[in-house]
Amino acid sequence: MLIKVENLTKEFQTGEVVTKVLHGLSFTIEQGEFAAIMGPSGSGKSTLMHILGFLDRATSGNYEFEGENVTKLDDNKLARLRNEKIGFVFQAFNLLPRTTVLENVKLPLTYSKDKSDIEARAKKTLESVGLGHRLNYYTNQISGGEKQRVAIARALVNNPSVIFADEPTGNLDSKSGVQIMEILQHLNNAGNTIILVTHETYTSEHAKRIIQIKDGMIENDYQVINRRIAKDGEILK
């Protein structure tokens, strides 16, 4: 089991006002799953992803990651886990400006324990998402779809236990969005665990499982039967 949460809650306090965002969530994620956390704006899905990805802490409840209870870990240990075990893909790409595609993907490796063959590993990862021909391009010289592929490569280069994709098609046209979802499916088929956060039904149906969040609670949790399957063959260029 990769992730197990029990009675997870999250509250934010502003002055004397307390806003309850998550209300006792419990579920598990197995290694190799492709799960979509789906819900409307304000449902708590992004807050949940931040907690699962060690970007924030729950107010109460238990969170086990790879069998370890991480609820009580200090910030330094959480930061180490985040760097070694988690890959993030965000809607806004979050790439370094005035920096090449290759340099963006090399960055996580400079903070990892294994610093061997950094350039070769980054190049291989970029080739795996169809960007071997863009290594020395600057990030302002490539399309939105290509920027998101760079973000996926950066998330993948450290061989994380799980990749979180937060609205990864939100800033893309429909064709580029489909290509990004196909890449995520290919990665999952190769054994990578993917957790997708989205409000779009079409995007969520690329996953194998959908966890629907509403008002900070799990409204539904089910396997996708009529899944939108990625095309066979190479990733579209």
Side-chain angles (χ1 to χ4, degrees), residues 136-201:
N136 296 315
Y137 280 65
Y138 287 91
T139 54
N140 63 352
Q141 295 177 311
I142 59 178
S143 68
E146 288 174 329
K147 288 178 182 178
Q148 198 59 293
R149 293 193 202 189
V150 176
I152 291 173
R154 184 183 57 191
L156 188 64
V157 72
N158 253 344
N159 192 28
S161 298
V162 57
I163 294 175
F164 289 96
D166 189 6
E167 303 282 5
T169 64
N171 283 346
L172 304 178
D173 60 77
S174 58
K175 181 180 179 180
S176 296
V178 169
Q179 291 175 353
I180 291 302
M181 294 312 302
E182 289 180 350
I183 290 173
L184 292 176
Q185 282 187 320
H186 281 296
L187 291 175
N188 177 244
N189 291 339
N192 293 279
T193 305
I194 310 289
I195 298 180
L196 169 71
V197 177
T198 184
H199 68 278
E200 298 174 336
T201 300

Side-chain angles (χ1 to χ4, degrees), residues 2 26 32 62 94 100 119 134 149 168 190 196 202 216 225 236:
L2 178 64
S26 298
N62 289 317
N94 290 6
T100 67
E119 185 147 333
R134 292 282 194 255
R149 293 193 202 189
L196 169 71
Y202 180 89
I225 299 175
L236 297 176

Side-chain angles (χ1 to χ4, degrees), residues 10-51:
K10 180 63 179 179
E11 299 177 354
F12 294 99
Q13 185 166 355
T14 304
E16 296 182 355
V17 179
V18 176
T19 303
K20 297 182 179 181
V21 180
L22 300 179
H23 302 269
L25 305 186
S26 298
F27 61 89
T28 61
I29 301 286
E30 299 292 339
Q31 185 72 45
E33 278 203 73
F34 188 168
I37 299 174
M38 185 182 178
S41 178
S43 61
K45 61 185 185 298
S46 291
T47 298
L48 176 60
M49 187 206 74
H50 290 164
I51 293 171

